[in-house]
């Protein structure tokens, strides 16, 4: 019997089961029938939520006005995607959900829950599913996830696919997410595909091999035979990937580099590369690979880079590529940025290989043309490259000195910085006068961040190449004036040493020039901004004040740069008045007042009249109740020299002996009164509790990577404590510093055993300077990032001589190189000036250290090295404990 009323509703069942009571009905069948009926007739509100398309999701997220609103949209969509993934038979496409999930992942939201769905898409036979699945795998998977292990078998299957696009997807994914284990499992498949006759697959396989070698260098040997055929391909895509692969092999393995040079034969690889490059230059217009009129510039750049690697330190290979490099340098169009890129790579190749001198001149001339370009990036690249190559051919770079100096006026701060560094690299004994004039102008108008480094470098250059002692002093004084408080502390002590070791006539000349600066600072009220020169002036006038006020001072030539004789001999009372005005100034630092107070005390033995001495005593007595404890102590002690110890005052405050320095400069014979140029011994005591921890003053201040404006003569206590953190500083402290404890000069000694304990610490004797002998022990202190620091140790009883030698194997120069060292306070460490502050590739910087150890305990040395490479500051620290145990025996 039929039931017509049920025919429509139950028509989904077979006719033989279309009756009211059928035993074949079960829960699953009923559920299926109900769901299908709901899909057909139920309203939209009862059905599943309508999915959002990717473009609609992007529109909603971009329309969000706040971060909270954006999170709400993303969380709502993620919840929907999760619920869709949980459905076994999803109605909507899994590809769409993965695509939306990838966009959410790129916004920074978690999307790891879609990893398994990506694997399902990868396993799908449809190409569209595989494409989205592999894209999701590259973005969502990494080797730290367990799901990563499940993809290996899928990749292996797709690498053997008959469809080239599926193979290409698998190769791209393998190169992006390959772990070492996965790379080893599938490397043989990649090596097989490199030999494929299909250029599309061969290109993808070569790139995948490039990524695998980066992850697992041990697999390089497997791909080595397959690379031979890559350079014989005519397809540009295969050529560029082959050159990239060979370049990576040669850069990371010296054995592979030798293999391409010798086993494969230079008759093969270098001529092949030269032939390819020549065809690119002379082939003419090629619409498929043309970029702004240049044929395949990307391939040209890759070949030039590989030629640079193959020709480095190889005369035969360099000779084979000299002609093609000259053709590239002369035939490349320079009106477009594409041509400039090729010329830049050509210049680097010429300067790195053993090229002819004429070719190097051509390369540097190209960089000189870059300096005239209006594009700031090209000018910066030219300056940076010249700075790296200036040590190769300095004379060729000197021809562009005028253009380089013009770059000092560029509004771009990066260009000015590189131009400044290159200008200092070009200074020699022939151009020192002209270069210093330009650099002084730059120093005067430069920003605060340049003043510290520029002034320090100018002082070093003047010490090395000063043509005469008078010019040297004039230059130092101008640097002190123009740098102001941004001057580094070591410059003050170095200037004082130079004045101390100069002949008597030069000392009188220095005192007069500095008196003019001191007087102007006090009268004009700008002493706050020029405290370093006030410190130098105070020390000089305190030592040689008698020459300043004597009648003979009028006979000394005092002609300034404008040719005007402006010196007028001051009276003793006027000098004291200027001192008093500066000492009572509230703007000067405590360190500057310490210089002035001690200098004023010394003037009491230089000036002869009694009213002058009485006035000096009154001024010093006022500091006996000063609010600052250091000035108060000095005032009290110096006051005692006018009363209880008046008989000792002339001897204690007599003129200091000349400080010994080592000459590193080149002078002409026009000035017979020549002083040594570079300070070799600078010991600056600290102003805190670590008074017995003595280290070289210059390394602690010269070459700091921070360029913040320093206050005048700030101490380096924090740096010392940081550098010495962890060392044993429990040894008993030495006697506190006395009247002359200010960090003014290198302490000298007075042979007087009857001096009162009140004056103990006035003078200490410097370590004698001995000629360095050949080292007999080498200790490697640091070896990181292409920098190797060795300590060459020479035994010498209680004093050991250590020569620091820093070597660089990096491709770029290390500027602002600074070596710092510290020892426990039971030792005494004296550091000489370094040989330079720029460590060039394959170059060397040396510095002499002297360690005195009366207790003969094992030496522990903590070092800190800072430098700037490619514009990035680097700081390295290490502790050296491997010195010989019998070093001080």
């Amino acid at each position: 019997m039929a039931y017509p009323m049920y025919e429509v509703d139950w028509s989904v069942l077979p006719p033989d089961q279309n009756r009211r009571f059928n035993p074949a009905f079960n829960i699953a069948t009923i559920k299926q029938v109900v769901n299908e009926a709901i899909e057909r007739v139920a309203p939209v509100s009862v059905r599943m939520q309508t999915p959002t398309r990717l473009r609609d999701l992007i529109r909603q997220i971009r329309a969000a006005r706040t971060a909270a609103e954006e999170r709400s949209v993303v969380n709502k969509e993620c919840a929907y995607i999760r619920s869709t993934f949980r459905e076994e038979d999803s109605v909507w496409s899994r590809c769409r959900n993965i695509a939306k999930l990838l966009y959410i992942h790129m916004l920074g939201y978690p999307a790891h829950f879609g990893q398994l769905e990506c694997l399902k898409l990868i396993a799908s036979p449809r190409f569209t599913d595989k494409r989205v699945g592999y894209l999701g795998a590259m973005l969502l998977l990494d080797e730290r996830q367990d799901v990563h292990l499940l993809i290996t078998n899928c990749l292996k299957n797709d690498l053997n696919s008959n469809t080239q696009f599926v193979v290409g997807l698998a190769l791209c994914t393998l190169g992006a997410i390959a772990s070492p284990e996965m790379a080893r499992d599938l490397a043989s498949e990649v090596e097989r595909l490199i030999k494929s006759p299909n250029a599309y697959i061969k290109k993808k396989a070569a790139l995948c091999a490039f990524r695998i070698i980066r992850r697992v260098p041990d697999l390089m040997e497997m791909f080595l035979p397959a690379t031979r055929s890559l350079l014989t391909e005519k397809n540009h895509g295969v050529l560029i990937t082959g050159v990239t692969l060979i370049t990576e092999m040669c850069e990371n393995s010296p054995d592979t580099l030798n293999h391409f040079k010798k086993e494969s034969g230079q008759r093969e690889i270098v001529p092949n590369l030269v032939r390819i490059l020549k065809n690119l230059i002379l082939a003419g217009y090629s619409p498929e690979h043309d970029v702004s009129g240049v044929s395949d510039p990307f391939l040209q750049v890759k070949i030039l880079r590989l030629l640079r690697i193959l020709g480095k330190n190889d005369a035969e290979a360099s000779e084979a590529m000299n002609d093609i490099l000259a053709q590239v340098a002369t035939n490349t169009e320079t009106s477009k940025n594409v041509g400039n890129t090729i010329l830049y790579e050509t210049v680097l190749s010429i300067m790195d290989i053993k090229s002819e001198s004429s070719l190097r001149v051509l390369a540097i001339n190209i960089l000189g043309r870059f300096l005239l370009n209006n594009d700031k990036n090209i000018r910066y690249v030219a300056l940076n490259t010249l700075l790296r190559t200036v040590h190769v051919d300095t004379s060729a770079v000197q021809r562009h000195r005028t253009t380089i100096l013009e770059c000092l006026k560029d509004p771009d701060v990066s260009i000015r910085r590189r131009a400044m560094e290159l200008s200092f690299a070009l200074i020699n004994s022939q151009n020192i006068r002209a270069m210093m004039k330009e650099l002084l102008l730059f120093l005067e108008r430069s920003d605060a961040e340049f003043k510290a480094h520029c002034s320090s470098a100018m002082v070093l250059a003047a010490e090395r190449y000063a043509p005469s002692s008078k010019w040297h002093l004039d230059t130092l004084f101008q640097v002190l004036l123009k740098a102001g408080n941004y001057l580094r502390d070591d410059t003050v002590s170095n200037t004082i040493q130079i004045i101390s070791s100069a002949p008597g006539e030069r000392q009188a000349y220095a005192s007069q020039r500095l008196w003019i600066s001191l007087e102007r600072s006090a009268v004009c009220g700008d002493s706050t901004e020029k405290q370093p020169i006030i410190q130098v002036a105070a020390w000089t006038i305190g030592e040689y004040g008698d020459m300043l006020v004597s009648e003979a001072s009028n006979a000394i030539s005092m002609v300034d740069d404008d040719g005007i004789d402006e010196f007028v001999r001051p009276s003793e009372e006027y000098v004291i008045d200027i001192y008093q005005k500066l000492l009572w100034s509230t703007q000067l630092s405590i360190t500057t007042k310490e210089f002035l107070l001690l200098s004023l005390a010394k003037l009491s033995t230089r000036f002869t009249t009694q009213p002058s001495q009485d006035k000096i005593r009154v001024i010093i007595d006022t500091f006996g109740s000063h609010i600052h404890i250091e000035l108060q102590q000095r005032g009290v002690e110096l006051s005692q020299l006018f009363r209880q110890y008046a008989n000792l005052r002339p001897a204690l405050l007599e003129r200091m002996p000349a400080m010994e320095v080592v000459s590193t400069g080149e002078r002409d014979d026009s000035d017979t009164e020549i002083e040594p140029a570079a300070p070799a011994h600078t010991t600056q005591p600290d102003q805190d509790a670590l008074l017995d921890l003595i280290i070289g003053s210059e390394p602690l201040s010269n070459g700091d990577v921070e360029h913040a404006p320093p206050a005048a003569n700030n101490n380096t206590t924090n740096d010392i404590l940081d550098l010495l953190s962890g060392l044993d500083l429990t040894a008993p402290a030495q006697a506190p510093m006395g009247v002359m404890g200010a960090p003014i000069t290198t302490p000298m000694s007075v042979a007087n055993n009857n001096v009162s304990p009140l004056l103990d610490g006035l003078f200490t004797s410097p370590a004698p300077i001995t000629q360095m002998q050949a080292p007999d022990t080498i200790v490697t202190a640091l070896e990181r990032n292409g920098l190797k620091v060795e300590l060459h140790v020479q035994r010498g009883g209680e004093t050991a001589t250590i020569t620091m030698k820093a070597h660089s194997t990096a491709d770029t120069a290390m500027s602002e190189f600074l070596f710092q060292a510290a020892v426990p306070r039971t030792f005494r460490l004296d550091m000489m000036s370094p040989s330079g502050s720029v460590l060039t590739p394959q170059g060397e910087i040396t510095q002499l250290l002297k360690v005195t150890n009366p207790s003969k305990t094992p030496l522990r040395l903590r070092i800190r090295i800072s430098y700037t490479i490619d514009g990035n500051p680097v700081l390295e620290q290490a502790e050296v404990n491997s010195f010989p145990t019998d070093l001080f025996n």
Side-chain angles (χ1 to χ4, degrees), residues 15 69 125 137 208 291 358-359 408 435 445 463 482 675 701 886:
E69 187 177 347
C208 183
V291 178
S358 59
L359 199 57
L408 292 173
M435 292 292 290
R445 62 173 180 263
E463 290 172 357
K482 297 181 186 300
E675 68 186 37
S701 55
D886 58 343

Side-chain angles (χ1 to χ4, degrees), residues 49-166:
Q49 176 185 352
T50 303
T52 306
R53 294 181 301 177
L54 177 60
R55 66 181 63 181
D56 295 332
L57 175 63
I58 295 174
R59 189 177 294 111
Q60 292 177 19
I61 292 177
R62 288 181 176 177
R65 297 183 178 180
T66 62
E69 187 177 347
E70 178 184 302
R71 287 195 299 270
S72 175
V73 174
V74 171
N75 292 337
K76 182 179 179 180
E77 189 63 31
C78 287
Y80 168 73
I81 294 175
R82 286 175 184 270
S83 64
T84 305
F85 287 162
R86 285 195 293 267
E87 294 291 336
E88 295 182 1
D89 299 320
S90 178
V91 178
W92 307 105
S93 172
R94 185 179 284 109
C95 290
R96 177 182 294 177
N97 291 328
I98 291 297
K100 291 187 291 185
L101 198 61
L102 294 181
Y103 179 74
I104 292 172
H105 168 73
M106 287 188 291
L107 293 178
Y109 295 95
H112 58 278
F113 58 87
Q115 294 173 351
L116 284 175
E117 302 302 319
C118 293
L119 294 182
K120 293 179 182 179
L121 289 176
I122 291 172
S124 172
R126 298 171 55 190
F127 175 76
T128 54
D129 293 347
K130 284 183 177 293
R131 182 173 58 184
V132 177
Y134 275 125
L135 178 60
M138 284 188 282
L139 291 177
L140 301 181
L141 294 185
D142 58 61
E143 57 185 85
R144 295 172 296 178
Q145 306 292 336
D146 295 336
V147 184
H148 184 268
L149 303 175
L150 304 177
I151 200 175
T152 304
N153 192 47
C154 296
L155 286 171
K156 187 170 185 179
N157 293 334
D158 288 338
L159 288 174
N160 293 282
S161 174
N162 294 327
T163 305
Q164 64 174 2
F165 301 108
V166 174

Side-chain angles (χ1 to χ4, degrees), residues 15 162 187 196 223 238 355 360 386 393 458 467 578 804 869 880:
N162 294 327
S196 171
F223 297 105
V238 177
S355 56
R360 290 198 300 269
L386 286 172
D393 197 340
M458 291 180 70
I578 294 296
M804 185 280 299
I869 182 169
V880 186

Side-chain angles (χ1 to χ4, degrees), residues 246-307:
I246 295 174
T247 302
E248 180 69 16
M249 291 179 172
C250 294
E251 284 181 339
N252 295 320
S253 173
D255 295 335
T256 306
L257 178 60
N258 293 330
H259 169 81
F260 283 109
K261 284 184 175 181
K262 297 178 181 179
E263 293 185 14
S264 295
Q266 294 177 359
R267 294 187 300 273
E268 291 185 14
I269 185 168
V270 173
N272 278 347
L273 293 172
V274 170
R275 175 180 52 80
I276 296 170
L277 189 57
K278 189 173 183 179
N279 290 336
L280 290 173
I281 298 173
L282 304 179
Y285 177 73
S286 175
E288 295 182 359
H289 312 103
D290 181 85
V291 178
S292 300
V294 180
S295 179
D296 205 340
F298 301 99
L299 180 57
Q300 290 192 45
V301 167
K302 292 286 186 181
I303 293 175
L304 288 169
R305 190 169 300 171
L306 181 54
L307 287 175

